[in-house]
Amino acid sequence: QLPRQGLGRQRPEDAAKREVMEEVGINILNLKKVGGYYSDSEGKRDTVILFHGTATETRVTASPEIAAAVWENYHNLTGRVELAKVAIKAIEDSFGIIVNKK
């Protein structure tokens, strides 16, 4: 989740790191873009960028803005979390795992 008002002059990578820190209290290292897409769902036009990085902490502390935050293994996502097709493809391509087991 990135700022609703847009990035302004901020690089997407920097905005992603800042948002992860603000929302769940985790610093991210080695952040790299693994995919992206445009969405016009909910009557909005959004650019969605998917990143992968290394967390420096294991404790997740959700901010008051979000209902819950947990660590989850990629293999446990199927059927538990609704992911966009492009997000699933980015995870599968980047990490060599199958998220949607049919």
Side-chain angles (χ1 to χ4, degrees):
Q1 174 187 353
L2 292 179
R4 290 185 179 167
Q5 69 274 15
L7 298 174
R9 293 183 178 188
Q10 192 172 28
R11 295 180 331 134
E13 294 84 352
D14 295 334
K17 287 180 179 182
R18 179 182 48 74
E19 284 293 310
V20 170
M21 177 55 79
E22 288 177 3
E23 300 296 340
V24 293
I26 294 174
N27 187 36
I28 301 293
L29 302 175
N30 307 315
L31 194 68
K32 71 172 189 171
K33 181 180 173 182
V34 295
Y37 61 97
Y38 296 97
S39 171
D40 59 3
S41 66
E42 301 177 4
K44 301 181 288 185
R45 292 178 50 198
D46 292 319
T47 300
V48 179
I49 303 172
L50 306 168
F51 293 99
H52 173 265
T54 303
T56 60
E57 296 89 16
T58 57
R59 183 174 178 205
V60 176
T61 307
S63 78
E65 295 179 17
I66 58 176
V70 297
W71 283 112
E72 187 62 77
N73 185 303
Y74 291 114
H75 300 284
N76 296 334
L77 293 175
T78 303
R80 295 188 57 209
V81 177
E82 184 177 327
L83 295 174
K85 289 179 183 176
V86 68
I88 291 169
K89 181 170 178 7
I91 291 168
E92 291 176 344
D93 291 349
S94 297
F95 306 109
I97 61 166
I98 302 301
V99 175
N100 271 351
K101 299 175 185 172
K102 295 180 181 179

